[in-house]
Amino acid sequence: MTEIHYDKDADLELIKSKKVAVIGYGSQGHAHALNLHDSGVDVVVGLKANSKSIAKAEEAGLKVMTTAEAAAWGDVIVILAPDQVQRHLYADDIAPNLSAGKTLIFGHGFNIRYGYITAPSNVDVALVAPKGPGHTVRREYLAGRGVPVIVAVENDATGNAWETAWSYSKAIGGLRAGGIKTTFTEETETDLFGEQAVLCGGASQLVMYGFETLVEAGYQPEIAYFEVLHELKLIVDLMWEGGIAKQRWSVSDTAEFGDYVSGPRVIDPSVKEHMKEVLADIQNGAFATRFINDQDAGAPEFLALREKGASHPIEATGRKLRELFAWRPQDKDYTEGSAAR
């Protein structure tokens, strides 16, 4: 049975009694650090000496240390750097500064699940993963709300790892919405699968194929863009608000009927079989190995695929059309792309 915790189930004073070092100041790092600070937690940000994020963190009123100094200082060390660099930060700066009774908290289980980081048996190892991007985590906290979190404990050396994890979850605002108990394995495998098969890989490929089909049939690229990409947000928002049922209730009868009769023609049973293959690669570690090996080699496959995606005709069409909208995003996180993550 699913176990859900809320604010009333956690003691904020527990995390407030500890020194918390947040390693990284990207999307999740900045949100966790600022929410912890606003909740009265003694927090510092750990960054490499040459990090461009030092000025941002200090401008936000946070104390900054080097990664090694922060790891030595903190009772709780929160590792929120990108998956592919975590093991290097851990080996160089964090592991030498661990001592019995400290707590490691991760925002994603990747490195623990696939064995790229192996923590000593005398420290607690926990996971607190907000189910939303960091900027949403921060925005919802400031609004008095929260983003749901999923929480796990891989190693409970002190006997208090769960209590610490729930207290930390409360401090970043997650338990305002609710925290679900999980495992490192479940979080990692389902997160990777969701990204690859549906949210990122699946949705992106479906949109691009839809765009190509219409343009190749002679329709204007601008019209195709509106129909297969622009309006997707409207549909996803309805799903987010009330599930697939609300989306079907909200659209026209024509659209709903087309959903039923044409959806299974496009996303036929073979797609589910391919999804099972994707899940198998995640479960057996093949995807993790491919990703890490490519990153270690300088990311040639990753960068080539990024360039290929950026050169798809739908991107040029979209840039032109978005200039027409007065409401188009203007913030740095949008214009700087992956550099803001």
Side-chain angles (χ1 to χ4, degrees), residues 93-337:
D93 297 334
I94 297 173
N97 291 295
L98 286 178
S99 57
K102 288 198 175 191
T103 300
L104 291 174
I105 292 181
F106 292 83
H108 180 36
F110 185 95
N111 279 274
I112 294 294
R113 164 64 179 83
Y114 295 115
Y116 292 108
I117 291 176
T118 302
S121 60
N122 61 359
V123 303
D124 291 343
V125 180
L127 167 81
V128 178
K131 301 316 294 175
H135 294 86
T136 305
V137 172
R138 180 59 177 161
R139 183 176 65 243
E140 289 298 288
Y141 179 94
L142 290 173
R145 301 185 295 263
V147 171
V149 293
I150 57 176
V151 181
V153 167
E154 185 76 2
N155 191 53
D156 189 1
T158 66
N160 294 313
W162 278 108
E163 288 77 7
T164 300
W166 292 123
S167 182
Y168 180 92
S169 300
K170 182 173 182 175
I172 65 170
L175 299 193
R176 295 173 180 176
I180 300 177
K181 189 175 182 179
T182 185
T183 65
F184 270 71
T185 294
E186 183 176 54
E187 186 276 335
T188 303
E189 294 178 359
T190 56
D191 185 73
L192 292 176
F193 175 80
E195 291 169 350
Q196 294 174 34
V198 181
L199 306 177
C200 302
S204 297
Q205 199 62 53
L206 187 67
V207 167
M208 287 189 289
Y209 278 155
F211 180 85
E212 292 169 9
T213 299
L214 288 175
V215 172
E216 289 166 9
Y219 299 102
Q220 297 179 69
E222 293 80 6
I223 301 301
Y225 178 91
F226 279 127
E227 298 302 336
V228 304
L229 189 152
H230 175 78
E231 292 190 26
L232 183 62
K233 181 183 185 304
L234 309 179
I235 297 300
V236 171
D237 282 351
L238 291 169
M239 289 184 176
W240 183 85
E241 291 171 9
I244 295 173
K246 181 168 184 179
Q247 176 263 125
R248 288 172 169 166
W249 173 81
S250 299
V251 299
S252 69
D253 289 348
T254 312
E256 183 180 358
F257 186 68
D259 179 337
Y260 298 136
V261 302
S262 297
R265 293 177 64 191
V266 176
I267 309 298
D268 64 20
S270 69
V271 174
K272 186 175 179 181
E273 293 305 311
H274 293 315
M275 285 183 169
K276 291 179 180 178
E277 295 169 3
V278 169
L279 181 57
D281 282 348
I282 291 168
Q283 292 171 327
N284 65 30
F287 169 78
T289 299
R290 180 177 178 179
F291 173 66
I292 292 298
N293 286 349
D294 182 62
Q295 290 289 317
D296 286 350
E301 183 180 23
F302 177 75
L303 295 174
L305 291 170
R306 175 184 279 174
E307 184 177 357
K308 179 182 177 182
S311 65
H312 192 280
I314 198 171
E315 299 297 353
T317 301
R319 282 192 293 272
K320 181 171 66 175
L321 285 179
R322 288 192 295 272
E323 288 296 322
L324 304 178
F325 301 136
W327 46 259
R328 68 186 185 277
Q330 300 285 352
D331 59 283
K332 290 183 179 180
D333 299 309
Y334 175 82
T335 57
E336 292 177 359

Side-chain angles (χ1 to χ4, degrees), residues 29-75:
H30 93 282
H32 286 234
L34 290 170
N35 290 5
L36 289 166
H37 178 268
D38 289 353
S39 291
V41 177
D42 188 7
V43 59
V44 304
V45 175
L47 294 168
K48 288 293 188 181
N50 60 350
S51 173
K52 296 179 181 178
S53 295
I54 292 175
K56 294 179 182 178
E58 290 179 338
E59 287 170 6
L62 296 168
K63 184 177 180 180
V64 178
M65 297 180 179
T66 66
T67 307
E69 290 171 343
W73 174 85
D75 303 311

